[in-house]
Amino acid sequence: MRSLVYDDYEIGAVRSTFGRTITETDIVLHAGQTGDFYPHHMDAEWCKTQPFGQRIAHGTLVFSVGVGMSAGELNPEAFSYGYDKLRFTKPVFIGDTISVRITISEKRDYPKRPEYGVVVERLEVINQNKETVLVCDHLLLVNRNKPDSQ
């Protein structure tokens, strides 16, 4: 755990995660949890007739795994406010290994609660071929004051 307040975040700062391979089990479990049994994810023979030629991971699975991978140290001065600009830019296949690059891309005021500011983390999920497969902005509400000055 590490306390970082709004002023501690630097635009342009980058961190990256280790890789994680997406498995058939991931896809089957995600389908069961979400009810999304579309053939794009579940029917190998049908997928052979489609442009990608094989089953693809659910976009929501890639998003969930990527977000989980990006969660690093706990910062008691910040909490997630949501995600913006979510895009699935390339398919993820069974056996692909993904990692996440997190870049502090923006900082701005939060008028509803002036004791907080918004820090935007750009999350890029990248496959083993260095291709971006998902991108989104993670919004953090971050305390502007040092913990001992409240």
Side-chain angles (χ1 to χ4, degrees):
M1 186 172 349
R2 185 167 64 136
S3 287
L4 295 173
V5 296
Y6 182 80
D7 287 339
D8 293 332
Y9 287 85
E10 294 183 28
I11 292 178
V14 178
R15 61 188 170 87
S16 296
T17 71
F18 290 105
R20 183 189 184 292
T21 302
I22 300 298
T23 67
E24 181 175 17
T25 301
D26 292 323
I27 292 172
V28 171
L29 287 172
H30 192 77
Q33 291 170 330
T34 63
D36 182 349
F37 291 95
Y38 276 92
H40 307 80
H41 316 299
M42 306 304 295
D43 188 335
E45 292 304 310
W46 180 81
C47 286
K48 289 177 185 176
T49 70
Q50 299 304 302
F52 295 133
Q54 59 183 307
R55 289 178 286 169
I56 58 174
H58 304 75
T60 52
L61 168 62
V62 177
F63 173 70
S64 298
V65 171
V67 166
M69 292 171 69
S70 73
E73 290 180 319
L74 176 64
N75 179 5
E77 309 309 322
F79 55 94
S80 180
Y81 188 56
Y83 296 85
D84 283 344
K85 303 175 186 173
L86 174 62
R87 296 291 180 265
F88 308 117
T89 57
K90 287 196 177 286
V92 173
F93 303 109
I94 295 168
D96 280 356
T97 299
I98 59 173
S99 61
V100 184
R101 180 174 49 233
I102 305 102
T103 305
I104 304 301
S105 61
E106 182 184 347
K107 292 169 62 174
R108 62 179 182 255
D109 292 335
Y110 183 63
K112 292 181 185 178
R113 294 180 69 183
E115 69 274 21
Y116 286 90
V118 176
V119 174
V120 180
E121 296 181 323
R122 169 65 50 99
L123 271 60
E124 297 170 277
V125 179
I126 301 161
N127 69 16
Q128 69 278 3
N129 300 317
K130 308 291 185 226
E131 301 167 317
T132 300
V133 299
L134 180 148
V135 64
C136 68
D137 288 340
H138 181 205
L139 309 178
L140 296 170
L141 284 186
V142 182
N143 193 345
R144 288 182 177 274
N145 303 308
K146 296 275 185 206
D148 56 349
S149 65
Q150 295 178 1

